[in-house]
PDB file of all heavy atoms in Angstrom:
ATOM      1  N   LEU A   1    -245.501-139.488 211.488  1.00 95.00           N
ATOM      2  CA  LEU A   1    -244.342-139.892 212.134  1.00 95.00           C
ATOM      3  C   LEU A   1    -244.345-139.219 213.595  1.00 95.00           C
ATOM      4  O   LEU A   1    -244.465-138.092 213.698  1.00 95.00           O
ATOM      5  CB  LEU A   1    -243.025-139.331 211.534  1.00 95.00           C
ATOM      6  CG  LEU A   1    -242.572-140.126 210.295  1.00 95.00           C
ATOM      7  CD1 LEU A   1    -241.254-139.513 209.689  1.00 95.00           C
ATOM      8  CD2 LEU A   1    -242.255-141.560 210.599  1.00 95.00           C
ATOM      9  N   PHE A   2    -244.386-139.958 214.639  1.00 96.00           N
ATOM     10  CA  PHE A   2    -244.239-139.530 215.931  1.00 96.00           C
ATOM     11  C   PHE A   2    -242.761-139.605 216.344  1.00 96.00           C
ATOM     12  O   PHE A   2    -242.031-140.660 216.245  1.00 96.00           O
ATOM     13  CB  PHE A   2    -245.056-140.370 216.979  1.00 96.00           C
ATOM     14  CG  PHE A   2    -246.508-140.077 216.750  1.00 96.00           C
ATOM     15  CD1 PHE A   2    -247.184-141.011 216.026  1.00 96.00           C
ATOM     16  CD2 PHE A   2    -247.160-139.064 217.350  1.00 96.00           C
ATOM     17  CE1 PHE A   2    -248.576-140.778 215.808  1.00 96.00           C
ATOM     18  CE2 PHE A   2    -248.506-138.863 217.143  1.00 96.00           C
ATOM     19  CZ  PHE A   2    -249.211-139.731 216.427  1.00 96.00           C
ATOM     20  N   VAL A   3    -242.163-138.522 216.894  1.00 95.00           N
ATOM     21  CA  VAL A   3    -240.635-138.489 217.059  1.00 95.00           C
ATOM     22  C   VAL A   3    -240.320-138.020 218.421  1.00 95.00           C
ATOM     23  O   VAL A   3    -240.947-137.052 218.872  1.00 95.00           O
ATOM     24  CB  VAL A   3    -240.166-137.371 216.077  1.00 95.00           C
ATOM     25  CG1 VAL A   3    -238.690-137.302 216.136  1.00 95.00           C
ATOM     26  CG2 VAL A   3    -240.569-137.691 214.567  1.00 95.00           C
ATOM     27  N   ASP A   4    -239.342-138.657 219.039  1.00 94.00           N
ATOM     28  CA  ASP A   4    -238.842-138.300 220.365  1.00 94.00           C
ATOM     29  C   ASP A   4    -238.257-136.951 220.242  1.00 94.00           C
ATOM     30  O   ASP A   4    -237.309-136.695 219.437  1.00 94.00           O
ATOM     31  CB  ASP A   4    -237.787-139.352 220.881  1.00 94.00           C
ATOM     32  CG  ASP A   4    -237.301-139.064 222.149  1.00 94.00           C
ATOM     33  OD1 ASP A   4    -237.533-137.962 222.727  1.00 94.00           O
ATOM     34  OD2 ASP A   4    -236.511-139.818 222.736  1.00 94.00           O
ATOM     35  N   PRO A   5    -238.788-135.898 220.987  1.00 93.00           N
ATOM     36  CA  PRO A   5    -238.236-134.565 220.871  1.00 93.00           C
ATOM     37  C   PRO A   5    -236.763-134.490 221.277  1.00 93.00           C
ATOM     38  O   PRO A   5    -236.026-133.546 220.841  1.00 93.00           O
ATOM     39  CB  PRO A   5    -239.112-133.729 221.730  1.00 93.00           C
ATOM     40  CG  PRO A   5    -239.629-134.793 222.698  1.00 93.00           C
ATOM     41  CD  PRO A   5    -239.866-136.029 221.939  1.00 93.00           C
ATOM     42  N   LEU A   6    -236.237-135.420 221.893  1.00 92.00           N
ATOM     43  CA  LEU A   6    -234.821-135.425 222.312  1.00 92.00           C
ATOM     44  C   LEU A   6    -233.972-136.385 221.276  1.00 92.00           C
ATOM     45  O   LEU A   6    -232.825-136.436 221.607  1.00 92.00           O
ATOM     46  CB  LEU A   6    -234.672-136.016 223.732  1.00 92.00           C
ATOM     47  CG  LEU A   6    -235.437-135.209 224.770  1.00 92.00           C
ATOM     48  CD1 LEU A   6    -235.238-135.872 226.168  1.00 92.00           C
ATOM     49  CD2 LEU A   6    -235.047-133.799 224.842  1.00 92.00           C
ATOM     50  N   ALA A   7    -234.545-136.849 220.294  1.00 92.00           N
ATOM     51  CA  ALA A   7    -233.831-137.646 219.380  1.00 92.00           C
ATOM     52  C   ALA A   7    -232.782-136.770 218.690  1.00 92.00           C
ATOM     53  O   ALA A   7    -231.618-137.232 218.265  1.00 92.00           O
ATOM     54  CB  ALA A   7    -234.792-138.178 218.145  1.00 92.00           C
ATOM     55  N   ARG A   8    -232.928-135.540 218.394  1.00 91.00           N
ATOM     56  CA  ARG A   8    -232.047-134.583 217.834  1.00 91.00           C
ATOM     57  C   ARG A   8    -232.156-133.297 218.563  1.00 91.00           C
ATOM     58  O   ARG A   8    -233.341-132.862 218.806  1.00 91.00           O
ATOM     59  CB  ARG A   8    -232.109-134.435 216.436  1.00 91.00           C
ATOM     60  CG  ARG A   8    -231.731-135.670 215.480  1.00 91.00           C
ATOM     61  CD  ARG A   8    -230.186-135.899 215.560  1.00 91.00           C
ATOM     62  NE  ARG A   8    -229.783-137.097 214.845  1.00 91.00           N
ATOM     63  CZ  ARG A   8    -229.587-137.172 213.582  1.00 91.00           C
ATOM     64  NH1 ARG A   8    -229.838-136.083 212.743  1.00 91.00           N
ATOM     65  NH2 ARG A   8    -229.355-138.379 213.043  1.00 91.00           N
ATOM     66  N   ALA A   9    -231.137-132.615 218.906  1.00 89.00           N
ATOM     67  CA  ALA A   9    -231.173-131.343 219.496  1.00 89.00           C
ATOM     68  C   ALA A   9    -231.683-130.208 218.676  1.00 89.00           C
ATOM     69  O   ALA A   9    -232.303-129.231 219.163  1.00 89.00           O
ATOM     70  CB  ALA A   9    -229.769-130.860 220.064  1.00 89.00           C
ATOM     71  N   ASP A  10    -231.583-130.390 217.384  1.00 91.00           N
ATOM     72  CA  ASP A  10    -231.996-129.218 216.523  1.00 91.00           C
ATOM     73  C   ASP A  10    -233.141-129.529 215.571  1.00 91.00           C
ATOM     74  O   ASP A  10    -233.319-129.046 214.550  1.00 91.00           O
ATOM     75  CB  ASP A  10    -230.820-128.772 215.604  1.00 91.00           C
ATOM     76  CG  ASP A  10    -230.225-130.047 214.786  1.00 91.00           C
ATOM     77  OD1 ASP A  10    -230.672-131.157 215.120  1.00 91.00           O
ATOM     78  OD2 ASP A  10    -229.300-129.738 213.927  1.00 91.00           O
ATOM     79  N   LEU A  11    -234.166-130.388 216.085  1.00 93.00           N
ATOM     80  CA  LEU A  11    -235.424-130.510 215.498  1.00 93.00           C
ATOM     81  C   LEU A  11    -236.140-129.273 215.473  1.00 93.00           C
ATOM     82  O   LEU A  11    -236.022-128.329 216.363  1.00 93.00           O
ATOM     83  CB  LEU A  11    -236.206-131.694 216.281  1.00 93.00           C
ATOM     84  CG  LEU A  11    -235.634-133.088 215.869  1.00 93.00           C
ATOM     85  CD1 LEU A  11    -236.418-134.118 216.821  1.00 93.00           C
ATOM     86  CD2 LEU A  11    -235.636-133.537 214.473  1.00 93.00           C
ATOM     87  N   PRO A  12    -237.063-129.016 214.563  1.00 92.00           N
ATOM     88  CA  PRO A  12    -237.770-127.723 214.440  1.00 92.00           C
ATOM     89  C   PRO A  12    -238.545-127.538 215.757  1.00 92.00           C
ATOM     90  O   PRO A  12    -239.133-128.453 216.394  1.00 92.00           O
ATOM     91  CB  PRO A  12    -238.750-127.986 213.325  1.00 92.00           C
ATOM     92  CG  PRO A  12    -238.080-128.918 212.432  1.00 92.00           C
ATOM     93  CD  PRO A  12    -237.352-129.793 213.381  1.00 92.00           C
ATOM     94  N   SER A  13    -238.573-126.222 216.173  1.00 91.00           N
ATOM     95  CA  SER A  13    -239.191-125.903 217.562  1.00 91.00           C
ATOM     96  C   SER A  13    -240.576-125.299 217.403  1.00 91.00           C
ATOM     97  O   SER A  13    -241.226-124.851 218.420  1.00 91.00           O
ATOM     98  CB  SER A  13    -238.291-124.951 218.322  1.00 91.00           C
ATOM     99  OG  SER A  13    -238.001-123.793 217.572  1.00 91.00           O
ATOM    100  N   GLN A  14    -240.971-124.924 216.184  1.00 91.00           N
ATOM    101  CA  GLN A  14    -242.268-124.362 215.975  1.00 91.00           C
ATOM    102  C   GLN A  14    -243.068-125.087 214.924  1.00 91.00           C
ATOM    103  O   GLN A  14    -242.521-125.804 214.173  1.00 91.00           O
ATOM    104  CB  GLN A  14    -241.999-122.892 215.425  1.00 91.00           C
ATOM    105  CG  GLN A  14    -241.182-122.061 216.339  1.00 91.00           C
ATOM    106  CD  GLN A  14    -240.975-120.569 215.876  1.00 91.00           C
ATOM    107  OE1 GLN A  14    -241.112-120.359 214.701  1.00 91.00           O
ATOM    108  NE2 GLN A  14    -240.882-119.607 216.812  1.00 91.00           N
ATOM    109  N   CYS A  15    -244.339-124.816 215.052  1.00 93.00           N
ATOM    110  CA  CYS A  15    -245.338-125.470 214.081  1.00 93.00           C
ATOM    111  C   CYS A  15    -245.038-124.838 212.742  1.00 93.00           C
ATOM    112  O   CYS A  15    -244.723-123.662 212.519  1.00 93.00           O
ATOM    113  CB  CYS A  15    -246.776-125.175 214.500  1.00 93.00           C
ATOM    114  SG  CYS A  15    -247.300-125.911 215.834  1.00 93.00           S
ATOM    115  N   GLN A  16    -245.081-125.695 211.568  1.00 93.00           N
ATOM    116  CA  GLN A  16    -244.821-125.135 210.292  1.00 93.00           C
ATOM    117  C   GLN A  16    -245.300-126.242 209.273  1.00 93.00           C
ATOM    118  O   GLN A  16    -245.103-127.436 209.516  1.00 93.00           O
ATOM    119  CB  GLN A  16    -243.300-124.849 210.145  1.00 93.00           C
ATOM    120  CG  GLN A  16    -242.304-125.944 210.517  1.00 93.00           C
ATOM    121  CD  GLN A  16    -240.943-125.522 210.729  1.00 93.00           C
ATOM    122  OE1 GLN A  16    -240.742-124.476 211.172  1.00 93.00           O
ATOM    123  NE2 GLN A  16    -239.955-126.390 210.474  1.00 93.00           N
ATOM    124  N   VAL A  17    -245.795-125.664 208.158  1.00 93.00           N
ATOM    125  CA  VAL A  17    -246.161-126.606 206.989  1.00 93.00           C
ATOM    126  C   VAL A  17    -244.982-126.704 206.221  1.00 93.00           C
ATOM    127  O   VAL A  17    -244.213-125.688 205.979  1.00 93.00           O
ATOM    128  CB  VAL A  17    -247.394-125.845 206.149  1.00 93.00           C
ATOM    129  CG1 VAL A  17    -247.565-126.709 204.897  1.00 93.00           C
ATOM    130  CG2 VAL A  17    -248.559-125.681 207.023  1.00 93.00           C
ATOM    131  N   VAL A  18    -244.584-127.861 205.751  1.00 93.00           N
ATOM    132  CA  VAL A  18    -243.280-128.166 205.102  1.00 93.00           C
ATOM    133  C   VAL A  18    -243.499-128.953 203.832  1.00 93.00           C
ATOM    134  O   VAL A  18    -244.422-129.693 203.658  1.00 93.00           O
ATOM    135  CB  VAL A  18    -242.397-128.937 206.097  1.00 93.00           C
ATOM    136  CG1 VAL A  18    -242.088-128.160 207.269  1.00 93.00           C
ATOM    137  CG2 VAL A  18    -243.199-130.311 206.499  1.00 93.00           C
ATOM    138  N   GLN A  19    -242.434-128.804 203.019  1.00 90.00           N
ATOM    139  CA  GLN A  19    -242.314-129.545 201.757  1.00 90.00           C
ATOM    140  C   GLN A  19    -241.873-130.905 202.196  1.00 90.00           C
ATOM    141  O   GLN A  19    -240.979-131.073 202.876  1.00 90.00           O
ATOM    142  CB  GLN A  19    -241.421-128.914 200.825  1.00 90.00           C
ATOM    143  CG  GLN A  19    -241.161-129.593 199.547  1.00 90.00           C
ATOM    144  CD  GLN A  19    -242.480-129.594 198.692  1.00 90.00           C
ATOM    145  OE1 GLN A  19    -243.003-128.579 198.505  1.00 90.00           O
ATOM    146  NE2 GLN A  19    -242.894-130.678 198.237  1.00 90.00           N
ATOM    147  N   ILE A  20    -242.469-131.960 201.611  1.00 92.00           N
ATOM    148  CA  ILE A  20    -241.979-133.392 201.784  1.00 92.00           C
ATOM    149  C   ILE A  20    -241.261-133.791 200.518  1.00 92.00           C
ATOM    150  O   ILE A  20    -241.835-133.905 199.481  1.00 92.00           O
ATOM    151  CB  ILE A  20    -243.149-134.345 202.103  1.00 92.00           C
ATOM    152  CG1 ILE A  20    -244.016-133.883 203.338  1.00 92.00           C
ATOM    153  CG2 ILE A  20    -242.684-135.811 202.313  1.00 92.00           C
ATOM    154  CD1 ILE A  20    -243.202-133.965 204.622  1.00 92.00           C
ATOM    155  N   SER A  21    -239.920-133.947 200.657  1.00 91.00           N
ATOM    156  CA  SER A  21    -239.143-134.383 199.471  1.00 91.00           C
ATOM    157  C   SER A  21    -239.441-135.867 199.082  1.00 91.00           C
ATOM    158  O   SER A  21    -239.996-136.585 199.906  1.00 91.00           O
ATOM    159  CB  SER A  21    -237.653-134.296 199.865  1.00 91.00           C
ATOM    160  OG  SER A  21    -237.311-135.244 200.751  1.00 91.00           O
ATOM    161  N   PRO A  22    -239.219-136.177 197.837  1.00 92.00           N
ATOM    162  CA  PRO A  22    -239.350-137.631 197.389  1.00 92.00           C
ATOM    163  C   PRO A  22    -238.616-138.592 198.300  1.00 92.00           C
ATOM    164  O   PRO A  22    -239.125-139.685 198.767  1.00 92.00           O
ATOM    165  CB  PRO A  22    -238.889-137.604 195.960  1.00 92.00           C
ATOM    166  CG  PRO A  22    -239.126-136.247 195.527  1.00 92.00           C
ATOM    167  CD  PRO A  22    -238.819-135.345 196.708  1.00 92.00           C
ATOM    168  N   LEU A  23    -237.366-138.186 198.697  1.00 94.00           N
ATOM    169  CA  LEU A  23    -236.616-139.105 199.602  1.00 94.00           C
ATOM    170  C   LEU A  23    -237.301-139.276 201.035  1.00 94.00           C
ATOM    171  O   LEU A  23    -237.515-140.378 201.413  1.00 94.00           O
ATOM    172  CB  LEU A  23    -235.214-138.442 199.932  1.00 94.00           C
ATOM    173  CG  LEU A  23    -234.334-139.158 200.913  1.00 94.00           C
ATOM    174  CD1 LEU A  23    -233.995-140.584 200.530  1.00 94.00           C
ATOM    175  CD2 LEU A  23    -233.094-138.418 201.255  1.00 94.00           C
ATOM    176  N   LEU A  24    -237.759-138.178 201.595  1.00 95.00           N
ATOM    177  CA  LEU A  24    -238.501-138.294 202.804  1.00 95.00           C
ATOM    178  C   LEU A  24    -239.761-139.093 202.737  1.00 95.00           C
ATOM    179  O   LEU A  24    -240.195-139.881 203.655  1.00 95.00           O
ATOM    180  CB  LEU A  24    -238.731-136.861 203.472  1.00 95.00           C
ATOM    181  CG  LEU A  24    -239.456-137.029 204.888  1.00 95.00           C
ATOM    182  CD1 LEU A  24    -238.548-137.710 205.857  1.00 95.00           C
ATOM    183  CD2 LEU A  24    -239.597-135.433 205.423  1.00 95.00           C
ATOM    184  N   ARG A  25    -240.546-138.916 201.696  1.00 94.00           N
ATOM    185  CA  ARG A  25    -241.842-139.670 201.425  1.00 94.00           C
ATOM    186  C   ARG A  25    -241.555-141.125 201.437  1.00 94.00           C
ATOM    187  O   ARG A  25    -242.160-141.889 202.065  1.00 94.00           O
ATOM    188  CB  ARG A  25    -242.414-139.198 200.100  1.00 94.00           C
ATOM    189  CG  ARG A  25    -243.743-139.905 199.922  1.00 94.00           C
ATOM    190  CD  ARG A  25    -244.415-139.453 198.713  1.00 94.00           C
ATOM    191  NE  ARG A  25    -243.570-139.676 197.373  1.00 94.00           N
ATOM    192  CZ  ARG A  25    -243.000-138.804 196.596  1.00 94.00           C
ATOM    193  NH1 ARG A  25    -243.168-137.509 196.941  1.00 94.00           N
ATOM    194  NH2 ARG A  25    -242.380-139.045 195.611  1.00 94.00           N
ATOM    195  N   GLU A  26    -240.445-141.573 200.800  1.00 95.00           N
ATOM    196  CA  GLU A  26    -239.998-142.911 200.814  1.00 95.00           C
ATOM    197  C   GLU A  26    -239.584-143.480 202.070  1.00 95.00           C
ATOM    198  O   GLU A  26    -239.940-144.666 202.526  1.00 95.00           O
ATOM    199  CB  GLU A  26    -238.928-143.290 199.721  1.00 95.00           C
ATOM    200  CG  GLU A  26    -239.542-142.987 198.280  1.00 95.00           C
ATOM    201  CD  GLU A  26    -240.753-143.821 197.920  1.00 95.00           C
ATOM    202  OE1 GLU A  26    -240.797-145.037 198.267  1.00 95.00           O
ATOM    203  OE2 GLU A  26    -241.616-143.267 197.322  1.00 95.00           O
ATOM    204  N   LEU A  27    -238.906-142.565 202.794  1.00 95.00           N
ATOM    205  CA  LEU A  27    -238.370-142.969 204.160  1.00 95.00           C
ATOM    206  C   LEU A  27    -239.519-143.140 205.071  1.00 95.00           C
ATOM    207  O   LEU A  27    -239.447-144.098 205.952  1.00 95.00           O
ATOM    208  CB  LEU A  27    -237.350-141.896 204.614  1.00 95.00           C
ATOM    209  CG  LEU A  27    -236.064-141.833 203.975  1.00 95.00           C
ATOM    210  CD1 LEU A  27    -235.226-140.669 204.431  1.00 95.00           C
ATOM    211  CD2 LEU A  27    -235.196-143.163 204.408  1.00 95.00           C
ATOM    212  N   ILE A  28    -240.599-142.232 204.952  1.00 95.00           N
ATOM    213  CA  ILE A  28    -241.819-142.472 205.857  1.00 95.00           C
ATOM    214  C   ILE A  28    -242.402-143.768 205.561  1.00 95.00           C
ATOM    215  O   ILE A  28    -242.745-144.601 206.557  1.00 95.00           O
ATOM    216  CB  ILE A  28    -242.688-141.349 205.506  1.00 95.00           C
ATOM    217  CG1 ILE A  28    -242.166-140.005 206.102  1.00 95.00           C
ATOM    218  CG2 ILE A  28    -244.114-141.517 206.305  1.00 95.00           C
ATOM    219  CD1 ILE A  28    -242.970-138.820 205.792  1.00 95.00           C
ATOM    220  N   LEU A  29    -242.543-144.197 204.369  1.00 93.00           N
ATOM    221  CA  LEU A  29    -243.057-145.536 204.039  1.00 93.00           C
ATOM    222  C   LEU A  29    -242.234-146.583 204.580  1.00 93.00           C
ATOM    223  O   LEU A  29    -242.833-147.648 205.040  1.00 93.00           O
ATOM    224  CB  LEU A  29    -243.139-145.646 202.439  1.00 93.00           C
ATOM    225  CG  LEU A  29    -244.289-144.668 201.756  1.00 93.00           C
ATOM    226  CD1 LEU A  29    -244.235-144.879 200.178  1.00 93.00           C
ATOM    227  CD2 LEU A  29    -245.582-144.883 202.373  1.00 93.00           C
ATOM    228  N   ALA A  30    -240.941-146.447 204.421  1.00 93.00           N
ATOM    229  CA  ALA A  30    -240.020-147.532 204.986  1.00 93.00           C
ATOM    230  C   ALA A  30    -240.120-147.602 206.542  1.00 93.00           C
ATOM    231  O   ALA A  30    -239.942-148.718 207.081  1.00 93.00           O
ATOM    232  CB  ALA A  30    -238.595-147.245 204.694  1.00 93.00           C
ATOM    233  N   SER A  31    -240.412-146.407 207.192  1.00 93.00           N
ATOM    234  CA  SER A  31    -240.506-146.381 208.660  1.00 93.00           C
ATOM    235  C   SER A  31    -241.612-147.313 209.190  1.00 93.00           C
ATOM    236  O   SER A  31    -241.464-147.663 210.333  1.00 93.00           O
ATOM    237  CB  SER A  31    -240.579-145.147 209.079  1.00 93.00           C
ATOM    238  OG  SER A  31    -241.962-144.533 208.830  1.00 93.00           O
ATOM    239  N   PHE A  32    -242.621-147.642 208.390  1.00 92.00           N
ATOM    240  CA  PHE A  32    -243.650-148.508 208.835  1.00 92.00           C
ATOM    241  C   PHE A  32    -243.189-149.897 209.099  1.00 92.00           C
ATOM    242  O   PHE A  32    -243.890-150.620 209.887  1.00 92.00           O
ATOM    243  CB  PHE A  32    -244.887-148.656 207.860  1.00 92.00           C
ATOM    244  CG  PHE A  32    -245.776-147.373 207.920  1.00 92.00           C
ATOM    245  CD1 PHE A  32    -245.456-146.288 207.178  1.00 92.00           C
ATOM    246  CD2 PHE A  32    -246.776-147.309 208.752  1.00 92.00           C
ATOM    247  CE1 PHE A  32    -246.273-145.052 207.228  1.00 92.00           C
ATOM    248  CE2 PHE A  32    -247.575-146.116 208.871  1.00 92.00           C
ATOM    249  CZ  PHE A  32    -247.260-144.970 207.992  1.00 92.00           C
ATOM    250  N   HIS A  33    -242.029-150.274 208.624  1.00 90.00           N
ATOM    251  CA  HIS A  33    -241.465-151.637 208.830  1.00 90.00           C
ATOM    252  C   HIS A  33    -240.355-151.644 209.757  1.00 90.00           C
ATOM    253  O   HIS A  33    -239.825-152.671 210.002  1.00 90.00           O
ATOM    254  CB  HIS A  33    -240.965-152.166 207.421  1.00 90.00           C
ATOM    255  CG  HIS A  33    -241.949-152.118 206.365  1.00 90.00           C
ATOM    256  ND1 HIS A  33    -243.126-153.044 206.430  1.00 90.00           N
ATOM    257  CD2 HIS A  33    -242.118-151.325 205.211  1.00 90.00           C
ATOM    258  CE1 HIS A  33    -243.833-152.724 205.251  1.00 90.00           C
ATOM    259  NE2 HIS A  33    -243.347-151.630 204.650  1.00 90.00           N
ATOM    260  N   LEU A  34    -240.156-150.520 210.428  1.00 88.00           N
ATOM    261  CA  LEU A  34    -239.075-150.464 211.435  1.00 88.00           C
ATOM    262  C   LEU A  34    -239.570-151.053 212.753  1.00 88.00           C
ATOM    263  O   LEU A  34    -240.591-150.701 213.265  1.00 88.00           O
ATOM    264  CB  LEU A  34    -238.623-149.105 211.702  1.00 88.00           C
ATOM    265  CG  LEU A  34    -237.896-148.398 210.611  1.00 88.00           C
ATOM    266  CD1 LEU A  34    -237.574-146.898 210.872  1.00 88.00           C
ATOM    267  CD2 LEU A  34    -236.601-149.009 210.302  1.00 88.00           C
ATOM    268  N   PRO A  35    -238.690-151.959 213.445  1.00 87.00           N
ATOM    269  CA  PRO A  35    -239.116-152.450 214.793  1.00 87.00           C
ATOM    270  C   PRO A  35    -238.953-151.378 215.811  1.00 87.00           C
ATOM    271  O   PRO A  35    -238.168-150.422 215.637  1.00 87.00           O
ATOM    272  CB  PRO A  35    -238.239-153.722 214.912  1.00 87.00           C
ATOM    273  CG  PRO A  35    -236.942-153.281 214.083  1.00 87.00           C
ATOM    274  CD  PRO A  35    -237.436-152.460 212.859  1.00 87.00           C
ATOM    275  N   ALA A  36    -239.598-151.656 216.923  1.00 83.00           N
ATOM    276  CA  ALA A  36    -239.369-150.707 217.983  1.00 83.00           C
ATOM    277  C   ALA A  36    -237.968-150.634 218.649  1.00 83.00           C
ATOM    278  O   ALA A  36    -237.379-149.635 218.934  1.00 83.00           O
ATOM    279  CB  ALA A  36    -240.377-150.921 219.237  1.00 83.00           C
ATOM    280  N   HIS A  37    -237.327-151.860 218.428  1.00 84.00           N
ATOM    281  CA  HIS A  37    -235.977-151.950 218.876  1.00 84.00           C
ATOM    282  C   HIS A  37    -235.198-152.793 217.811  1.00 84.00           C
ATOM    283  O   HIS A  37    -235.703-153.711 217.201  1.00 84.00           O
ATOM    284  CB  HIS A  37    -235.738-152.699 220.181  1.00 84.00           C
ATOM    285  CG  HIS A  37    -236.518-152.053 221.340  1.00 84.00           C
ATOM    286  ND1 HIS A  37    -236.262-150.892 222.026  1.00 84.00           N
ATOM    287  CD2 HIS A  37    -237.860-152.426 221.894  1.00 84.00           C
ATOM    288  CE1 HIS A  37    -237.034-150.508 222.904  1.00 84.00           C
ATOM    289  NE2 HIS A  37    -238.058-151.367 222.808  1.00 84.00           N
ATOM    290  N   TYR A  38    -233.985-152.177 217.352  1.00 83.00           N
ATOM    291  CA  TYR A  38    -233.210-152.806 216.308  1.00 83.00           C
ATOM    292  C   TYR A  38    -231.816-152.790 216.705  1.00 83.00           C
ATOM    293  O   TYR A  38    -231.325-152.253 217.738  1.00 83.00           O
ATOM    294  CB  TYR A  38    -233.332-151.904 215.018  1.00 83.00           C
ATOM    295  CG  TYR A  38    -233.233-150.472 215.230  1.00 83.00           C
ATOM    296  CD1 TYR A  38    -232.000-149.902 215.525  1.00 83.00           C
ATOM    297  CD2 TYR A  38    -234.378-149.712 215.253  1.00 83.00           C
ATOM    298  CE1 TYR A  38    -231.937-148.481 215.630  1.00 83.00           C
ATOM    299  CE2 TYR A  38    -234.320-148.244 215.498  1.00 83.00           C
ATOM    300  CZ  TYR A  38    -233.113-147.743 215.704  1.00 83.00           C
ATOM    301  OH  TYR A  38    -232.996-146.348 215.816  1.00 83.00           O
ATOM    302  N   THR A  39    -231.046-153.635 215.990  1.00 82.00           N
ATOM    303  CA  THR A  39    -229.551-153.840 216.256  1.00 82.00           C
ATOM    304  C   THR A  39    -228.776-152.632 215.830  1.00 82.00           C
ATOM    305  O   THR A  39    -228.979-152.159 214.633  1.00 82.00           O
ATOM    306  CB  THR A  39    -229.125-155.088 215.529  1.00 82.00           C
ATOM    307  OG1 THR A  39    -229.773-156.184 215.922  1.00 82.00           O
ATOM    308  CG2 THR A  39    -227.522-155.283 215.783  1.00 82.00           C
ATOM    309  N   PRO A  40    -227.993-152.017 216.642  1.00 85.00           N
ATOM    310  CA  PRO A  40    -227.170-150.872 216.357  1.00 85.00           C
ATOM    311  C   PRO A  40    -226.330-151.153 215.100  1.00 85.00           C
ATOM    312  O   PRO A  40    -225.684-152.321 214.907  1.00 85.00           O
ATOM    313  CB  PRO A  40    -226.410-150.640 217.553  1.00 85.00           C
ATOM    314  CG  PRO A  40    -227.176-151.147 218.604  1.00 85.00           C
ATOM    315  CD  PRO A  40    -227.850-152.288 218.072  1.00 85.00           C
ATOM    316  N   GLY A  41    -226.159-150.246 214.159  1.00 86.00           N
ATOM    317  CA  GLY A  41    -225.244-150.305 213.114  1.00 86.00           C
ATOM    318  C   GLY A  41    -225.943-150.997 211.851  1.00 86.00           C
ATOM    319  O   GLY A  41    -225.367-151.038 210.731  1.00 86.00           O
ATOM    320  N   GLY A  42    -227.174-151.483 211.898  1.00 90.00           N
ATOM    321  CA  GLY A  42    -227.854-152.077 210.877  1.00 90.00           C
ATOM    322  C   GLY A  42    -228.644-151.069 209.938  1.00 90.00           C
ATOM    323  O   GLY A  42    -228.705-149.923 210.103  1.00 90.00           O
ATOM    324  N   ARG A  43    -229.396-151.747 209.018  1.00 92.00           N
ATOM    325  CA  ARG A  43    -230.138-150.890 208.082  1.00 92.00           C
ATOM    326  C   ARG A  43    -231.320-150.187 208.886  1.00 92.00           C
ATOM    327  O   ARG A  43    -231.500-148.966 208.429  1.00 92.00           O
ATOM    328  CB  ARG A  43    -230.832-151.811 206.952  1.00 92.00           C
ATOM    329  CG  ARG A  43    -231.724-151.098 206.016  1.00 92.00           C
ATOM    330  CD  ARG A  43    -232.278-152.118 204.945  1.00 92.00           C
ATOM    331  NE  ARG A  43    -233.168-151.484 204.046  1.00 92.00           N
ATOM    332  CZ  ARG A  43    -234.449-151.238 204.282  1.00 92.00           C
ATOM    333  NH1 ARG A  43    -235.065-151.690 205.348  1.00 92.00           N
ATOM    334  NH2 ARG A  43    -235.223-150.600 203.298  1.00 92.00           N
ATOM    335  N   ASP A  44    -231.973-150.757 209.778  1.00 92.00           N
ATOM    336  CA  ASP A  44    -232.988-150.084 210.507  1.00 92.00           C
ATOM    337  C   ASP A  44    -232.462-148.828 211.079  1.00 92.00           C
ATOM    338  O   ASP A  44    -233.141-147.824 211.220  1.00 92.00           O
ATOM    339  CB  ASP A  44    -233.699-150.958 211.511  1.00 92.00           C
ATOM    340  CG  ASP A  44    -234.435-152.237 210.846  1.00 92.00           C
ATOM    341  OD1 ASP A  44    -234.812-151.997 209.681  1.00 92.00           O
ATOM    342  OD2 ASP A  44    -234.484-153.239 211.454  1.00 92.00           O
TER     343      ASP A  44
END
């Protein structure tokens, strides 16, 4: 996942190995189908 560092003010600020929860794993898979631009308020 490539993430805009300004997307959230409190994203991690240091390198770290992390646990990937089952929820996040499925969300990462779902993110492959996200368009670059989407309608506000929708599922994407």
Side-chain angles (χ1 to χ4, degrees):
L1 283 179
F2 291 95
V3 183
D4 182 349
L6 301 179
R8 290 288 175 88
D10 53 353
L11 289 171
S13 60
Q14 296 181 337
C15 297
Q16 50 200 34
V17 177
V18 295
Q19 180 69 52
I20 303 294
S21 68
L23 172 59
L24 182 55
R25 182 176 63 245
E26 294 304 319
L27 288 170
I28 292 173
L29 294 177
S31 69
F32 282 90
H33 305 289
L34 293 175
H37 302 287
Y38 46 76
T39 303
R43 177 179 181 272
D44 294 335

